[in-house]
């Protein structure tokens, strides 16, 4: 088995925590970030069981903090960077908070760009690095048949455009960039009525990541491998 180095943001719960669990159990070198490691109880328990799982503090809304972490990890070669940290402030017509909207763009959209920029040297060292942005079908304009959720939808639609541009700009470095949809998952963010659990979602996402190649760079893909219309 080839050991890879993987960096995952937002790993304190849900999909990020499951990514950390599966990759650590698979024997990869896994670096995960959370805003407050001391409060990430489940992650700390997982890290206590796996010496190959390293927990780091990061607020992805803080660009200076992203740059500082990249400097701290400057000697790494990163094979897979998963930009997973996200926020879901509920919103509806007549009920949207401007500050929450701005913060959602910092976390859901801008962080992926700044992670790519800050960690480019580490990604370039890998034979074919993969930069993964966890997006959502709710960011698909084609799929929007119910309206509402202005903040979350717009931040993920914007993220999809960031992914597309990054796939073009980073192609010269042989870095594959993709926007992945995890499905409707039963998590704190997805709610109790989700159609699949985190284990099913992340197992599928990992298969998609493993199979990604340069021809798929810039695509919007679901956990089951199906391409999603923009």
């Amino acid at each position: 088995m080839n050991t890879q180095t993987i960096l995952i943001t937002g790993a304190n719960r849900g999909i990020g925590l499951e990514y950390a669990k599966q990759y650590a159990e698979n024997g990869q070198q896994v670096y995960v970030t959370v805003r407050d490691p001391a409060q990430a109880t489940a992650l700390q328990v997982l890290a206590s069981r796996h010496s190959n799982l390293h927990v780091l503090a990061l607020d992805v809304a803080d660009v200076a903090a992203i740059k500082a972490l990249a400097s701290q990890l400057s000697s790494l070669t990163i094979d897979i960077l998963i930009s997973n940290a996200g926020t879901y402030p509920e919103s509806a017509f007549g009920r949207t908070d401007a500050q929450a909207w701005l913060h959602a763009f910092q976390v859901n959209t801008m962080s992926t760009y700044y992670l790519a920029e800050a960690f480019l040297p580490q990604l370039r060292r890998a034979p074919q690095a993969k930069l993964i942005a966890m997006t959502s079908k709710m960011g698909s304009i084609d799929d929007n048949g119910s309206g509402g959720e202005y903040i979350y939808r717009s931040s993920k639609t914007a993220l999809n455009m960031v992914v597309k541009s990054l796939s073009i700009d980073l192609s010269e470095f042989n870095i594959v960039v993709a926007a992945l949809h995890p499905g409707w998952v039963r998590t704190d963010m997805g709610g109790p009525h989700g159609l699949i659990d985190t284990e099913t979602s992340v197992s599928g996402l990992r298969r998609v990541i493993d199979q990604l190649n340069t021809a798929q760079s810039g695509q919007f893909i679901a956990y089951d491998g199906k391409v999603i219309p923009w």
Side-chain angles (χ1 to χ4, degrees):
M1 181 186 71
N2 293 327
T3 300
Q4 295 181 311
T5 297
I6 298 158
L7 174 63
I8 307 161
T9 66
N12 59 312
R13 62 185 183 181
I15 292 166
L17 180 63
E18 184 65 25
Y19 264 129
K21 177 177 180 287
Q22 291 193 24
Y23 276 122
E25 289 178 349
N26 193 241
Q28 312 301 340
Q29 283 296 319
V30 186
Y31 292 79
V32 297
T33 76
V34 294
R35 279 181 297 174
D36 186 354
Q39 297 297 317
T41 307
L43 181 60
Q44 293 292 357
V45 170
L46 185 64
S48 72
R49 298 174 182 161
H50 297 280
S51 61
N52 56 325
L53 178 59
H54 315 277
V55 181
L56 303 160
L58 176 66
D59 179 354
V60 298
D62 184 342
V63 176
I66 291 175
K67 293 178 179 178
L69 183 64
S71 179
Q72 179 185 336
L73 302 178
S74 61
S75 63
L76 288 185
T77 295
I78 295 178
D79 298 282
I80 303 171
L81 195 166
I82 302 175
S83 180
N84 171 73
T87 184
Y88 191 150
E90 292 188 6
S91 60
F93 186 74
R95 299 195 307 278
T96 61
D97 181 82
Q99 289 304 312
W101 206 336
L102 288 170
H103 184 255
F105 263 77
Q106 288 178 306
V107 174
N108 294 351
T109 310
M110 295 164 59
S111 65
T112 294
Y113 170 81
Y114 286 108
L115 285 163
E117 190 175 74
F119 283 93
L120 180 59
Q122 292 92 324
L123 292 166
R124 288 184 63 180
R125 293 190 191 113
Q128 184 173 76
K130 296 172 182 179
L131 172 59
I132 305 302
M134 294 307 302
T135 187
S136 169
K137 209 172 180 181
M138 288 184 71
S140 166
I141 294 172
D142 182 82
D143 188 68
N144 185 359
S146 57
E149 301 301 346
Y150 291 90
I151 293 177
Y152 188 72
R153 286 187 186 279
S154 62
S155 67
K156 290 299 187 179
T157 303
L159 171 61
N160 292 347
M161 183 60 82
V162 168
V163 166
K164 184 65 177 180
S165 283
L166 285 174
S167 73
I168 296 166
D169 292 340
L170 302 186
S171 62
E172 65 178 294
F173 307 119
N174 202 33
I175 297 172
V176 176
V177 187
L180 299 191
H181 167 59
W184 186 9
V185 189
R186 291 188 291 277
T187 63
D188 289 347
M189 185 180 289
H193 304 299
L195 301 178
I196 56 174
D197 57 23
T198 55
E199 184 177 359
T200 301
S201 173
V202 172
S203 294
L205 290 164
R206 287 179 54 222
R207 282 192 292 273
V208 172
I209 293 168
D210 285 346
Q211 295 167 8
L212 280 176
N213 55 50
T214 52
Q216 296 171 296
S217 196
Q219 289 189 355
F220 185 4
I221 307 170
Y223 75 100
D224 57 4
K226 294 177 181 176
V227 175
I228 298 173
W230 296 110

